[in-house]
Amino acid sequence: MSKVLDELIDSIKCLPGVGPKSATRMAYYLLQRDPKGARRLANSILNSFELLGKCTSCNNFSETPTCNLCLDPKRNKKILCIIEMPTDLLMFEQTHSFDGMYYILMGRLSPLDGIGPKDLNMGGLYDRCKDEQIQEIIIATNFTKEGDATATYITELLKDLGKKLSRIARGMPSGSEIEYTDSGTLAQAISERKTINQKF
Ligand SMILES: [Zn+2]
């Protein structure tokens, strides 16, 4: 086969869950059926890397140093909710039951995949939580083995800050991920959150 085509197929394989067969199929599709879409995709990827950085406040991707959500004066600056992924933020926003701030870890601790505290920039999280405006920190990592381990690590990390720490309620079944939880259950998990450090 062509070297260029090989390279395209190989690049597509970097997407999660895409093996050699689907990558080949997608490459032919882009070239043969949708060259316009393919160009648009290529440009969007390049643009994203050029124009997007991380919000200094919530760690989400943003075109500006601080993202729109963090700049919104209507958000409650006293509560910070720690989540794993930007998709979790969308889920929480859909519940319309949380108006506080977020911090996005961009992953979870997972020793098996070689993801440790340094890879998740836990230092950045600590600095964000030191903000004097923040009074309560809700740990909303997933109820999976890795999510729970991450929650335990964060609890240890933040316990000397003297702020109220809570974990979203286990209304969600164990092993469940926020991304696949319905709005009602998620809203309940926030409102029934459990305080971790007793003195608050
Ligand atoms: Zn932000």
Side-chain angles (χ1 to χ4, degrees):
M1 261 201 296
S2 143
K3 225 176 159 185
V4 174
L5 189 54
D6 277 350
E7 172 61 27
L8 175 61
I9 293 168
D10 213 47
S11 313
I12 296 175
K13 276 197 297 194
C14 80
L15 293 167
V18 176
K21 240 187 187 168
S22 336
T24 308
R25 213 175 299 136
M26 286 180 200
Y28 281 124
Y29 176 85
L30 290 170
L31 290 170
Q32 181 64 37
R33 302 264 170 211
D34 196 3
K36 228 169 143 187
R39 272 180 198 281
R40 201 175 143 212
L41 174 65
N43 282 330
S44 304
I45 293 173
L46 289 176
N47 260 344
S48 302
F49 279 97
E50 197 142 312
L51 301 174
L52 291 177
K54 291 282 181 69
C55 169
T56 49
S57 170
C58 71
N59 203 37
N60 202 355
F61 290 104
S62 172
E63 284 170 57
T64 47
T66 309
C67 76
N68 289 337
L69 190 148
C70 290
L71 287 173
D72 186 348
K74 292 197 288 287
R75 305 294 303 199
N76 180 356
K77 305 273 190 296
K78 294 178 187 162
I79 306 183
L80 181 78
C81 182
I82 302 172
I83 53 178
E84 291 183 15
M85 298 300 288
T87 40
D88 298 334
L89 186 153
L90 299 176
M91 294 303 295
F92 277 111
E93 287 299 289
Q94 271 175 30
T95 68
H96 300 291
S97 62
F98 180 74
D99 67 349
M101 310 294 283
Y102 295 97
Y103 186 90
I104 300 149
L105 296 167
M106 292 292 174
R108 72 219 75 171
L109 294 177
S110 179
L112 285 177
D113 301 315
I115 301 169
K118 272 201 186 123
D119 303 293
L120 290 187
N121 186 18
M122 287 295 187
L125 170 68
Y126 185 80
D127 288 343
R128 177 70 184 97
C129 292
K130 277 197 301 199
D131 184 335
E132 280 174 9
Q133 290 186 91
I134 298 169
Q135 294 173 2
E136 180 182 358
I137 298 159
I138 305 171
I139 304 173
T141 52
N142 288 318
F143 286 119
T144 55
K145 227 163 78 185
E146 287 94 356
D148 280 335
T150 308
T152 307
Y153 181 91
I154 293 171
T155 306
E156 269 305 299
L157 180 76
L158 304 178
K159 69 176 183 199
D160 61 355
L161 283 180
K163 301 184 186 219
K164 180 175 175 175
L165 291 179
S166 52
R167 178 93 166 102
I168 48 169
R170 281 200 175 268
M172 296 159 55
S174 152
S176 64
E177 301 199 33
I178 287 161
E179 196 179 344
Y180 306 108
T181 305
D182 66 279
S183 293
T185 308
L186 204 51
Q188 199 179 1
I190 306 171
S191 72
E192 293 175 5
R193 60 185 182 269
K194 299 273 179 297
T195 307
I196 296 170
N197 40 2
Q198 292 309 320
K199 65 175 176 168
F200 289 94

